[in-house]
Amino acid sequence: MVGAGWIQEVWLELAFKTKIHAIVFMFSATLYQFTQQSLPACKPVLTPAWVIATFLLMGIIFIPTGFITLRASRSVVEIVDRYDADCVPEEFRINKVAYIKDNSISKNCTRFLKIDKRMKAPIYIYYQLDNYYQNHRRYVKSRSDQQLLHGLGYNDTSTCQPEELNHGFPVVPCGLIAWSLFNDTYTFVRGRSELKVNRKNIAWKSDRDHKFGKHVHPFNFQNGTLIGGGSLDPTIPLSDQEDLIVWMRTAALPSFRKLYGRIEQDLDADDVLVVKLMNNYNTYSFGGKKKLILSTSNWLGGKNDFLGASYIFVGSSCIFISLVFLLLHVRNPRTYGEIPYSSWNKKSISS
């Protein structure tokens, strides 16, 4: 019995080792095929008929898609008004920087916007800044995400320099991005009534819930000798300061728009809106531009002619290429080789 048990153990051990060797061998063979690029694969033969038909099909799909997208974009009603130059008094047109830095001069400005087409609610209000490089490396890094979430409980704010401390006390929120908060304001009047602007839910929900603390309040903000932009209400937590949250999501390009609010009333054609704005924000020091935008939206989003034009261009190019290939094929036909005798099929034929 002892001999039989010993033989059984030896047999099991040999079987296990044989199985391991087989697995290793199969893995090595597969790895060799992979490194030598000889694994089984789909290798389609791109005949002229297949190439011409593929380009033609792409053109047939892309061109109608482009026209549909372009039509949807053209159905969006958008009004753009640049006001930074016109809102400077005549006597300060030569020195605009002196005007914007002088707090004793009124920054009130009145603009008139005529509605050419009916605008259905909600009507989105944006401000646009041009020649403003929010993507500058030093500017982008000058913030503390942990401080925005935890407040004064997070002490390491070295990334916020040069706006880290004021008079020896920490700044919440710190950094150049928050310090340069956009602070122009807009009021809209139609006829004798002021239109209500809804400024709730203009920021991403994920930012409000997970990036800005519900119990973090502004502290020692804009108390330095040099004021950058807007101020914040110290009684309101950062998670509810949505204009700050929108501004803190930095733009990738020097021309960008940011959502200011929504008008939740329809505007009829030929209506005239009186816009009473405060021209507070300094873009004159670096040659920037400020624009006010009113826009509707649809299933495509806002106005974007580039997407539809791109579809039409790509589709037209595909049809043009397919016609060129068709003419070349008709003029200079070429006999096909025997596909079974191709290089990748020789091995299977010989076997």
Side-chain angles (χ1 to χ4, degrees), residues 41-311:
C42 177
K43 300 176 180 178
V45 179
L46 298 179
T47 61
W50 269 105
V51 173
I52 293 170
T54 301
F55 276 106
L56 189 62
L57 180 62
M58 289 176 63
I60 292 173
I61 293 174
F62 273 53
I63 290 179
T65 303
F67 278 111
I68 293 172
T69 305
L70 194 60
R71 182 177 180 181
S73 176
R74 295 289 174 86
S75 68
V76 173
V77 183
E78 184 177 275
I79 299 173
V80 180
D81 178 53
R82 179 185 172 185
Y83 63 88
D84 59 283
D86 294 339
C87 284
V88 178
E90 287 287 345
E91 59 271 22
F92 289 99
R93 294 288 171 89
I94 300 176
N95 193 352
K96 299 175 182 177
V97 177
Y99 155 75
I100 202 68
K101 288 184 176 181
D102 192 342
N103 294 327
S104 64
I105 302 174
S106 173
K107 302 301 188 297
N108 291 316
C109 182
T110 302
R111 307 287 293 170
F112 298 91
L113 303 180
K114 184 178 179 181
I115 310 300
D116 295 325
K117 296 181 181 179
R118 176 179 171 82
M119 302 180 74
K120 295 183 179 180
I123 301 168
Y124 295 92
I125 307 168
Y126 299 92
Y127 58 87
Q128 177 174 324
L129 298 179
D130 296 331
N131 198 35
Y132 195 115
Y133 289 83
Q134 269 198 321
N135 59 352
H136 191 282
R137 181 183 64 86
R138 188 178 181 187
Y139 184 87
V140 171
K141 291 177 63 178
S142 185
R143 63 184 293 166
S144 174
D145 292 327
Q146 293 298 320
Q147 190 208 57
L148 293 173
L149 188 60
H150 302 292
L152 292 172
Y154 187 78
N155 297 322
D156 185 9
T157 56
S158 57
T159 57
C160 290
Q161 294 180 356
E163 292 299 322
E164 180 184 5
L165 302 172
N166 274 337
H167 306 296
F169 295 98
V171 177
V172 180
C174 65
L176 286 173
I177 304 177
W179 175 79
S180 60
L181 174 64
F182 185 81
N183 61 339
D184 283 6
T185 59
Y186 311 100
T187 302
F188 300 88
V189 179
R190 180 177 59 175
R192 296 182 178 180
S193 61
E194 180 179 328
L195 297 178
K196 183 180 179 181
V197 177
N198 184 1
R199 303 202 64 194
K200 294 292 185 182
N201 298 323
I202 61 174
W204 290 13
K205 188 176 184 302
S206 58
D207 288 353
R208 298 196 307 267
D209 295 343
H210 305 294
K211 293 187 177 181
F212 292 79
K214 298 182 183 299
H215 303 287
V216 179
H217 292 76
F219 175 77
N220 198 26
F221 185 69
Q222 299 289 22
N223 287 335
T225 55
L226 184 62
I227 305 300
S231 58
L232 298 174
D233 189 340
T235 64
I236 301 176
L238 294 185
S239 60
D240 293 335
Q241 309 248 17
E242 296 198 41
D243 50 349
L244 171 69
I245 299 174
V246 171
W247 180 255
M248 294 291 288
R249 183 166 284 277
T250 53
L253 300 175
S255 294
F256 58 87
R257 297 179 180 182
K258 290 185 182 291
L259 186 60
Y260 180 84
R262 294 184 302 274
I263 297 175
E264 297 179 341
Q265 300 179 34
D266 294 344
L267 299 179
D268 297 324
D270 297 327
D271 279 352
V272 177
L273 286 185
V274 180
V275 184
K276 298 178 180 179
L277 61 89
M278 293 291 292
N279 184 27
N280 296 316
Y281 201 69
N282 182 9
T283 57
Y284 307 105
S285 297
F286 53 88
K289 302 175 183 178
K290 294 189 288 187
K291 297 176 183 177
L292 172 65
I293 294 134
L294 302 181
S295 176
T296 59
S297 65
N298 55 21
W299 60 270
L300 184 65
K303 195 176 186 66
N304 184 8
D305 291 346
F306 176 78
L307 183 61
S310 299
Y311 274 118

Side-chain angles (χ1 to χ4, degrees), residues 285-350:
S285 297
F286 53 88
K289 302 175 183 178
K290 294 189 288 187
K291 297 176 183 177
L292 172 65
I293 294 134
L294 302 181
S295 176
T296 59
S297 65
N298 55 21
W299 60 270
L300 184 65
K303 195 176 186 66
N304 184 8
D305 291 346
F306 176 78
L307 183 61
S310 299
Y311 274 118
I312 295 173
F313 175 77
V314 173
S316 302
S317 300
C318 289
I319 290 182
F320 176 76
I321 293 172
S322 68
L323 292 176
V324 171
F325 284 176
L326 179 61
L327 292 176
L328 291 175
H329 180 60
V330 171
R331 184 176 178 179
N332 300 312
R334 146 173 203 198
T335 57
Y336 302 150
E338 293 292 338
I339 295 177
Y341 292 96
S342 300
S343 60
W344 56 83
N345 287 325
K346 286 182 180 179
K347 184 177 180 180
S348 59
I349 294 174
S350 61

